Amino acid sequence: MPEFKKVCFSFLVIVFAVIVVARVVTLGVLLSRFRPHNGTCSKAAVAADSGKCSEIGRDILKMGGSAVDGAIAALLCTSVINPHSAGIGGGCMFTVMDSSGYVTIINARETVPAGVNPDLLKSCPKIMEWEEDSRWIGVPGEIQGYAEAHRRYGKLPWDILFEPTIRLAREGFPIPYIQGQHIPRIANTSLRKLYSDENGNLLKIGDIVKFEKLADTLEMIAKQGPDVFYNGSIAEDLIRDIQQAGGTHTLQDLASYKVTVTDAWTVPLGEYQMYFPPPPSGGAILSLVLNIMKGFKMNSEPKTADEKTLFYHRYIEALKFANGLKKYIRDPKFNSDEKAKNITEDSFAGYIRSLITNETHDDEYYNLTPYVDSTGTTHVSVLAEDGSAVSVTSSINDIFGSKVFSPSTGIILNNQLSDFCVSPDSISPGEQPPSTTAPAVLKSQSITLVIGGSGSPMITTGMATALMNHLWFGKSLKEAIDTPVVFVNSKNAVEFETNFEKDLIDALDALGHNRQTADKFYNVVNAVEKDGSCISAWSDERKKGKAAAY
Ligand SMILES: *[C@@H]1O[C@H](CO)[C@@H](O)[C@H](O)[C@H]1NC(C)=O
Ligand SMILES: *[C@@H]1O[C@H](CO)[C@@H](O)[C@H](O)[C@H]1NC(C)=O
Ligand SMILES: *[C@@H]1O[C@H](CO)[C@@H](O)[C@H](O)[C@H]1NC(C)=O
Ligand SMILES: *[C@@H]1O[C@H](CO)[C@@H](O)[C@H](O)[C@H]1NC(C)=O
């Protein structure tokens, strides 16, 4: 070939190659639009239960913070945006995956104080109560949980994590709907002080609320470190206020509080491993429900009316058995966790599956002992740029916890001890109450899914519904979390979310499920997923949540 023609040929080859590459890139972009992502690919994300707190967590990640740093900042923010759900007067459970993929559990759930009335469980509430009640206050673990997580995985200085929330608490902000809707119910409790204007009238949605005492407390913890909460001036103020409200808590209870750090429990779920905390967390119960359903091999979304009825019938039956097994979720330091471990095995799921028939049965069949359902809690899911992940569920238990407000610290106290009422046979000083929380991380070759829920007993069905719809039925995170849930309450009655298909409800009624009308669904699932290098996040709209990413 003459020189000129050679050059010309090479030129044509290059032009052709460029066109091909451009085509492939365009096609890639087009294809990625069809993947079940919500919006664009991001490098890191936080899914908390409010847009404000997701943004605060996201900004911490952007500053070079680790997933743990982002999670702590988002949780602190939640203690003022959703103070009825969680705060430093409660406890939390972290599932942390480091950038090498190793998963560690940091358990900072509340404990029973030494001076507990041994007969406390004789007065387990029959319905959820709105009165102030100091008897159910557990020793708060929240701050020590943050401190341990930060000591192990923190990148930014401790005090930086507190700054955005201290500012928010001091300057105040209009009361958001989710927080404000509960204020009228606490009119006759010590929380009235927090929510009163200068004339003593209760604040409403949209009024400016400030958390000035809490801002002072957070500032002290930020500057002096966590010990000031457990063995310092905050401890003294807090214990004095709890005692004034009738509690038997002492300084020794706070000084002797210790977080527990353990490995995660794990179950295989298709191509994924699901990591979650051992008891007293409720992860074992969630894993059982998923394992039961996995074995029915319904790997695509049920389409026909019959398929849907069969799917939901089996799922409802699985949830009934799960309720009957909750009594085996206990603090492993006080009770053997052998049975709980067994519950997570495939063989146990197979055994339960064999008991699920095409009919419904009496309560005894499911080994149910009725208890009272509680409400509340918050969850934060985080994925950082370095691949590290945090799934953390934090709670003061019921809405506004015990309704005991500590005026000298600005802290709202939990009522976590009422969770012992699920199996009210014993309560020991130092013991942690059983829980339904299940902060999880799922990992496959190419995908990491960080997911968790709040809404106490609704956590199991909220998370199971989201996971089945996302992992097995191919729905996006948003669609999977939006999917209407069915909840089996503590009396094994079935409650359907308002937008649940009516024909399906009729078909399930016909099978003999005992149905109750639900007054409210408070399941809230927040998740972040990394698929290859693409991160997407979704916060549940049931709580008007919004995720944040960059
Ligand atoms: C508060 O107490 C007053 C007076 O006893 C009563 O009328 C009112 O219903 C109570 N409010 C709540 C929310 O319990
Ligand atoms: C509490 O702090 C004091 C000093 O400030 C120390 O002597 C004591 O050992 C601490 N107690 C505990 C239980 O950590
Ligand atoms: C574990 O589950 C199996 C059924 O899969 C059952 O036969 C066995 O008794 C269980 N063990 C315990 C300790 O509950
Ligand atoms: C349920 O299953 C049994 C045995 O497998 C069968 O005899 C019965 O007809 C079924 N009932 C319904 C309502 O499908």
Side-chain angles (χ1 to χ4, degrees), residues 357-359 511:
T357 67
N358 56 3
E359 287 159 338
L511 283 169

Side-chain angles (χ1 to χ4, degrees), residues 323-368:
N323 279 349
L325 289 159
K326 278 185 184 168
K327 55 174 88 68
Y328 299 108
I329 302 297
R330 299 295 300 253
D331 182 345
K333 287 194 221 67
F334 291 79
N335 311 266
S336 161
D337 61 2
E338 197 188 335
K339 179 78 182 182
K341 185 79 191 167
N342 201 25
I343 285 173
T344 68
E345 305 284 345
D346 266 334
S347 55
F348 189 82
Y351 161 67
I352 298 291
R353 205 180 302 118
S354 74
L355 299 177
I356 295 180
T357 67
N358 56 3
E359 287 159 338
T360 54
H361 305 268
D362 294 339
D363 284 352
E364 299 87 74
Y365 187 70
Y366 311 96
N367 206 6
L368 183 73

Side-chain angles (χ1 to χ4, degrees), residues 297-456:
K297 304 204 187 316
M298 299 169 114
N299 292 356
S300 62
E301 190 176 4
K303 290 279 190 296
T304 67
D306 283 351
E307 282 168 4
K308 284 185 193 170
T309 307
L310 183 60
F311 172 80
Y312 278 103
H313 170 70
R314 287 166 165 176
Y315 178 55
I316 289 167
E317 292 295 286
L319 291 173
K320 289 180 188 173
F321 281 104
N323 279 349
L325 289 159
K326 278 185 184 168
K327 55 174 88 68
Y328 299 108
I329 302 297
R330 299 295 300 253
D331 182 345
K333 287 194 221 67
F334 291 79
N335 311 266
S336 161
D337 61 2
E338 197 188 335
K339 179 78 182 182
K341 185 79 191 167
N342 201 25
I343 285 173
T344 68
E345 305 284 345
D346 266 334
S347 55
F348 189 82
Y351 161 67
I352 298 291
R353 205 180 302 118
S354 74
L355 299 177
I356 295 180
T357 67
N358 56 3
E359 287 159 338
T360 54
H361 305 268
D362 294 339
D363 284 352
E364 299 87 74
Y365 187 70
Y366 311 96
N367 206 6
L368 183 73
T369 7
Y371 49 90
V372 174
D373 290 319
S374 55
T375 57
T377 312
T378 192
H379 181 85
V380 177
S381 292
V382 186
L383 263 163
E385 253 187 89
D386 63 0
S388 66
V390 170
S391 191
V392 56
T393 309
S394 166
S395 181
I396 54 172
N397 203 18
D398 282 335
I399 304 286
F400 285 117
S402 60
K403 285 83 179 168
V404 173
F405 175 65
S406 156
S408 51
T409 63
I411 293 171
I412 301 168
L413 277 311
N414 71 84
N415 69 331
Q416 214 68 253
L417 301 190
S418 69
D419 278 357
F420 279 106
C421 294
V422 170
S423 48
D425 43 13
S426 71
I427 182 167
S428 312
E431 188 176 358
Q432 292 180 313
S435 171
T436 46
T437 61
V441 175
L442 289 89
K443 192 151 172 43
S444 74
Q445 206 79 43
S446 58
I447 296 177
T448 304
L449 174 59
V450 186
I451 187 166
S454 58
S456 301

Side-chain angles (χ1 to χ4, degrees), residues 130-384:
W130 285 95
E131 275 98 64
E132 182 174 339
D133 191 343
S134 61
R135 294 174 305 164
W136 305 101
I137 300 175
V139 182
E142 191 86 9
I143 284 294
Q144 221 179 91
Y146 297 175
E148 184 64 28
H150 184 259
R151 196 178 64 74
R152 289 170 175 258
Y153 305 102
K155 282 192 186 163
L156 295 180
W158 167 255
D159 60 329
I160 300 278
L161 312 180
F162 289 72
E163 272 175 13
T165 300
I166 292 171
R167 206 172 317 125
L168 204 55
R170 224 183 266 302
E171 290 169 6
F173 53 89
I175 298 176
Y177 169 78
I178 296 287
Q179 176 179 162
Q181 64 179 332
H182 304 295
I183 295 175
R185 313 279 305 255
I186 48 90
N188 298 336
T189 72
S190 57
L191 278 160
R192 183 175 189 104
K193 205 178 166 104
L194 178 65
Y195 286 111
S196 292
D197 65 16
E198 58 272 26
N199 304 319
N201 296 318
L202 273 187
L203 298 178
K204 306 178 300 301
I205 294 164
D207 291 345
I208 300 293
V209 65
K210 293 183 181 178
F211 298 83
E212 286 162 312
K213 272 288 171 210
L214 185 66
D216 294 343
T217 296
L218 292 176
E219 195 149 35
M220 284 171 76
I221 298 170
K223 293 218 172 93
Q224 300 173 38
D227 286 351
V228 69
F229 185 98
Y230 289 93
N231 180 17
S233 61
I234 295 174
E236 283 166 18
D237 288 344
L238 185 61
I239 293 298
R240 198 185 48 246
D241 286 349
I242 295 177
Q243 289 178 350
Q244 219 126 63
T248 57
H249 305 61
T250 65
L251 279 172
Q252 190 53 40
D253 287 324
L254 278 177
S256 55
Y257 184 87
K258 289 268 172 301
V259 296
T260 316
V261 180
T262 60
D263 281 340
W265 279 10
T266 173
V267 298
L269 220 51
E271 64 190 286
Y272 294 87
Q273 281 291 325
M274 180 168 86
Y275 299 89
F276 54 88
S281 149
I285 297 293
L286 172 68
S287 74
L288 169 69
V289 172
L290 290 168
N291 272 336
I292 294 170
M293 297 310 290
K294 179 177 76 178
F296 284 124
K297 304 204 187 316
M298 299 169 114
N299 292 356
S300 62
E301 190 176 4
K303 290 279 190 296
T304 67
D306 283 351
E307 282 168 4
K308 284 185 193 170
T309 307
L310 183 60
F311 172 80
Y312 278 103
H313 170 70
R314 287 166 165 176
Y315 178 55
I316 289 167
E317 292 295 286
L319 291 173
K320 289 180 188 173
F321 281 104
N323 279 349
L325 289 159
K326 278 185 184 168
K327 55 174 88 68
Y328 299 108
I329 302 297
R330 299 295 300 253
D331 182 345
K333 287 194 221 67
F334 291 79
N335 311 266
S336 161
D337 61 2
E338 197 188 335
K339 179 78 182 182
K341 185 79 191 167
N342 201 25
I343 285 173
T344 68
E345 305 284 345
D346 266 334
S347 55
F348 189 82
Y351 161 67
I352 298 291
R353 205 180 302 118
S354 74
L355 299 177
I356 295 180
T357 67
N358 56 3
E359 287 159 338
T360 54
H361 305 268
D362 294 339
D363 284 352
E364 299 87 74
Y365 187 70
Y366 311 96
N367 206 6
L368 183 73
T369 7
Y371 49 90
V372 174
D373 290 319
S374 55
T375 57
T377 312
T378 192
H379 181 85
V380 177
S381 292
V382 186
L383 263 163

